[in-house]
Amino acid sequence: MYIDPHAHMVSRTTDDYEAMAAAGVVALIEPAFWVGQPRTFVGTYVDYLSSLVGWERFRAGQFGIRHYCTIGLNSKEANNEALAEGVMEWLPRFAMKEGVVAIGEIGYDEQTPLEEKYFRAQLALAKELALPVMVHTPHRDKKRGTSRSMDVCEEMGLDPSWVVIDHNNEETVRETLDRGYWAGFSIYPSTKMGNARMVELLRHYGGDRIIVDSACDWGISDCLGVAKTARLALASGIDAQVVRQVTYANALCVYGKSGQIHESDWLDPPEIDQRTLYEGNSILRGGREPRIEHPRQAADDLLID
Amino acid sequence: MTEPLHSRATTALSPSAADLLCRWVVRQAAAQETWFLDALERLQTSADERALHLFLGQVPRRLGKADLELTPQDLTAAHTVLPGWSPLGWSLDGAARVAGLLTFRGQRPFAALFEDLVRTADARELITLYRGLSFYPEPASLSTLVGAGLRSNMRAVFEAIAHGNPYPRDHFDLHRWNHMVLKALFIGSRLAPIVGIDQRNNPELARILLDYADERWAAGRVVTPELWRCVGPCADALGAYAALQRALTGSPAERLAAGLALSQTDTPSARHLLTSVPETAALIGTGRVGWSNLHHYEAI
């Protein structure tokens, strides 16, 4: 049973939902992000946020996966001041929606003054609404950007135990953990973290406050990042308890502070599904482990009914 | 002058939908009763949309998301307020949200407020917003937004409009009505919970559905048994007997559905067809099979 606490499903097909469910993913968190092309109207951003709390939640439910999200203005689009100002006005309303487990992903891209301005504004919002924060750390000048992200969180008076610093690597993890934050790792080919490296990190650091996610999106990425890392870690002799922490329990713990994600959501879903939009997974009722199946090999099927 | 809110929970004489919802919520609200009633009071007097947004966001956090507990008397009361309205399947938070929306006195036309709420709604809110359609001020002004809701790919959102909701019966034009019924079949939703399904039946719908059945059969797909309910009354004019005869050879539910449709069509051809399936006719004759329980016979 896994949680993928960072997956941009808006960019993925139903095949991926199917594969994730079959691999044992019971819940996922979709952070609001940059969709690959800048939005230039506030309205398109608003509709995107609506889709995270509406349509995408329904789509995930069709495959027995519980969908949560984080709401925020990402760092790239924070550089369009007119857009950013407009989006900031809408954020409080979205942050109060059902299943919104954090403000995120927010932080730095190029570490510009505008990025800084809206990062701070959103940290203040998270504090005001008592929501956890998911921080995206920059790809370039990463180590300094990560330290600076934590400096700003502290300056804004956030409790590090409410903040996930995501996209860590070998260079950033020590400081992140030492300063009391949760350390997210995105198992993302080429640019972020590989799962063999992740296993070594788990061997070294154990499972406390470490969170594994796939960050799967519109790029070359793998929606099974969490499940594959769990399997590799177990096969490499990492303690099962550690694997459970980093692929399930830790994410539940930190994002659970929002009051919007509960284990019972998937272990004991309500009977009336018209409201929950959840097709449900009767195997999960009563807290049993999900059956691991091989996803339908759609690509190999000659017949299309 | 408006009636004080606190008396709403106890008022007995011809209550409104808001009164009923308020009464049901209060009954289940336990320690949150005061919060809920105070919030309604503010919504009625403040005209502040921010207060409404805050209320809508806080309701599930305060009251929880349990099913609304309803007695048979409550259902009768709902029916008295508006024939066909079924609050079965409503949740506590849903009832409270609609009660709040009905209590709110804003400055903009309701349709503008509603559009804004729909635009930013999460999935559960969308369902709630549409369930209350019949009771909002100037319900006819919501037509465009209702159209958008019907086009939703979220089945539960569609059903919030189509099922147990008198709004379509009372406000849809023929075209929208027919396409709602057709879409219900398309997405595997049931027709029986559609309020006014028989009253609003029409020859155009029957023709569309008969074509749809032929299309399904041509593709080697099954035809939803409930479809025959709408075709039956127009069977003669449409020349639908061949299709009904084919349905009489289908699954148990299909046979019963075709039989029901024929038994409600008092023509010589219908009577003749029914006599050709004595078992089905006999089962229908017991009066135990109806459109509302047809789906129980699918696996027989």
Side-chain angles (χ1 to χ4, degrees), chain B residues 190 223-226 251-254 256 293-300:
Chain B
R190 290 177 55 211
V223 171
T224 318
E226 280 191 290
S251 72
E254 275 181 288
L256 285 172
N293 67 1
L294 196 62
H295 56 293
H296 294 151
Y297 291 86
E298 266 155 18
I300 291 175

Side-chain angles (χ1 to χ4, degrees), chain A residues 184-197:
Chain A
F185 290 87
S186 298
I187 309 303
Y188 195 105
S190 306
T191 59
K192 299 188 178 88
M193 176 61 57
N195 62 352
R197 281 161 60 203

Side-chain angles (χ1 to χ4, degrees), chain A residues 50 93 97-98 274-275 277, chain B residues 65 67 89 119-120 125:
Chain A
S50 293
R93 280 180 69 178
K97 297 296 177 189
E98 181 177 47
Q274 296 99 305
R275 291 199 306 270
L277 307 162
Chain B
K65 304 183 219 167
D67 294 346
R119 178 176 287 148
T120 56
E125 277 179 314

